[in-house]
Structure formats: C-alpha cells, structure tokens
Amino acid sequence: MIPFINQLPKHEEIIWLAALNQRLPNEHVVAFSEIKPVEKKQVKLAIVANPKPELLAEFENLTWVHSVWAGVEHLMKSLTDSPIEVVRLIDPMLSSAMSEAVLAWSLYLHRDMPRYAKQQKDKHWLQHALIPASERRIGILGLGELGQACAKQLKINGFKVMGWSRTAKNIANVSCYSGESGLVEMAAQSDILVCLLPLTPATKWIVNKDLLAKLPQGSAIINFARGGIINTDDLLDALSSGHINHAVLDVFEHEPLNADSALWQHPDITILPHISAPTNLNSACDIVAQNIISFRETGQVPKAVSKVNGY
C-alpha cells in the first residue's frame, strides 16, 4: 500500500490515483483518507503533492516520499530535521514546457510587445528599431535541469545567453557564472533576467534592490521560479523609477494573487497565473512509477533532495 498524500481537489486526486495505479499494478496507491490507523505503521513510502506536514507525521515508519511536483521547498522546510528523504519530479516534459515558456516571454520582451500594447491602447502608430537577437543578452538565474534546457533553447534562437548557479557549471556556448561576484557580473550584462532558482534560505529575495540596481538601465525580468525569489517592494521601486522596464511574473509569495495586490494594475507588469510549466500528469506518473518499480527491485532510493541545499 502506498498513500497518495495531497491537497488536490477531490476530482483531481481521483484522476491521479487512477493514473498511478494503472502504472503500478503490483502496488495499491490509495488516498490518505482510505488508510486505517493500524495500516499507517506499515507505510515506508508515500507519493505526495504538497502534503500537509502533520499528515506525513502520522506515518511513523515513513522513510522516503516521491513528489509529483518539481518544486518541493515547502516540503523540505517541514522535513529539515526529519530522516525522511524527498525525491522530486525530474521530468523532460517539464523542462520542455519551461524552455518553451521562457523563449515565448523572452521574445515578448525582446520584440517590445509591452510598448506596442501601450501604443495600441493610445491608438499611437510608431515603429521602433529592432535589436538583433544576437545583441540581446539574457541572463538565467539557476542552471539546474530547467535552467540548462532554457539556456539551450534561447541559444538556438540566436540570443546571447549567460547563466548563474551556486556552484560552477560548464555549458557549451553559454557564459557561466557562479558565486556572489559572478552574480553581480552577470546581472550587469543582462538585458533580460530570467529567474529559475529553487526557493531556499539562500535564494530568498536574491533579486533585491542591490541586484536590481546592477541590471542595465531599461532591462526586464521574468520570474518563473518562486515568488520569494524577488523582493516585490524593491521590484516595484525599480519599475517606478524606470530602471526596470518590465516584469513578467508567473509566481507569487501568496497564490492565488490577492485581488487587492498592486501588481495587478501596474502598467509595467505582466501577470500570469502560475502557468509557465505545469506538470504533465501522464509523464509524471510514468516517472514516479518507474522510480518506485526500480526501488522495489534494488532497494535503492532515487536521488533525493539535499537537506542542506534544499534542491
């Protein structure tokens, strides 16, 4: 028996359970509500989707959990002092969806779409010079699976691509930076800054007034990571001063974004409802099932998230 512990609407939970059981015919994946107290002591593995920490605590012999999401920061925070290992979803479909989204919104900014949208509203006909993609510098914060996929996609489309990570990386045709000095150096060259970092104590508000000030005048930001990566007040100040030209925001510290938020009506912000890279149910279930089958055969837990780094 494998519990599926989640906060999904009931109809979505039913779909996930059906898909998981179809791929794991020798297991019995069940909803948390279906497990009897006596059965909880036998559970050593769980499949999760942003579970409530108190529910996990009811399984005293739980050794590892497999998330059906790529983002596990809330889960890691609740399990910091726990021996339970966390395996996050690493899905090529997710990387493909994210690289498509980053390319789409980079082109949106590169081709001056926000400016032309304002001109349309004012019935103003005016053409602006087009900067070649080869002269548009895009910096990526985070060079994990998603960041590397996005860097390659942007490079294919002719952009000058840079990337920053906590530790040094080497990616063909991408200028890679690391460490605090590398972050400042890359920011100073980024016409568009794309945020793809996991949210950890080390990355909380990493995009703040100091880093924003390092960006070139008139640069733009895309945040497809987590809302806590950017200090919202500092971003609003940078937009109001004109130092930052536009921000595309798909993630927020509190979701759904409150109707009273000043972000909704800001003329230089594009709001998206967390759609940049949704999990593909079929590919996610395939990967989770393959990992669990492998675990049953070998006894080896798939690569787990570092409790130290948070990713």
Side-chain angles (χ1 to χ4, degrees), residues 47-125:
I47 300 171
V48 301
N50 193 29
K52 293 181 179 179
E54 58 268 26
L55 298 186
L56 288 181
E58 294 186 24
F59 299 90
E60 58 188 74
N61 294 313
L62 187 64
T63 58
W64 71 283
V65 299
H66 200 317
S67 174
V68 298
W69 305 153
V72 293
E73 63 275 0
H74 296 301
L75 189 56
M76 296 307 297
K77 186 176 180 180
S78 66
L79 296 177
T80 300
D81 299 319
S82 169
I84 297 173
E85 294 189 89
V86 177
V87 176
R88 71 182 185 89
L89 181 70
I90 300 177
D91 185 354
M93 286 285 288
L94 192 67
S95 297
S96 177
M98 182 62 84
S99 61
E100 180 181 87
V102 167
L103 174 62
W105 292 99
S106 293
L107 287 169
Y108 171 81
L109 295 168
H110 167 62
R111 295 301 298 258
D112 247 352
M113 293 300 105
R115 177 190 279 186
Y116 286 117
K118 289 180 181 179
Q119 288 186 188
Q120 178 181 344
K121 183 179 179 181
D122 296 334
K123 301 178 182 178
H124 188 196
W125 183 284

Side-chain angles (χ1 to χ4, degrees), residues 205-270:
W205 290 354
I206 192 172
V207 180
N208 52 35
K209 63 180 180 181
D210 293 332
L211 189 66
L212 290 167
K214 302 295 183 184
L215 293 170
Q217 176 70 30
S219 57
I221 289 178
I222 296 173
N223 188 11
F224 287 169
R226 286 292 184 265
I229 295 293
I230 297 179
N231 184 305
T232 301
D233 290 339
D234 291 350
L235 175 61
L236 288 170
D237 288 343
L239 286 165
S240 296
S241 71
H243 183 70
I244 301 299
N245 179 265
H246 199 85
V248 177
L249 306 178
D250 185 48
V251 287
F252 307 89
E253 292 197 65
H254 302 285
E255 296 184 2
L257 184 62
N258 192 295
D260 296 332
S261 173
L263 299 176
W264 283 110
Q265 301 300 325
H266 198 289
D268 298 317
I269 293 178
T270 296

Side-chain angles (χ1 to χ4, degrees), residues 1-3 17 20-30 45 47 64 288-289 291-297:
M1 176 183 294
I2 302 176
L17 284 169
L20 287 165
N21 278 302
Q22 182 183 39
R23 291 162 174 81
L24 291 164
N26 296 324
E27 306 284 351
H28 185 204
V29 185
V30 300
L45 158 66
I47 300 171
W64 71 283
V288 171
N291 283 340
I292 291 175
I293 291 170
S294 177
F295 170 73
R296 296 301 192 202
E297 293 174 348

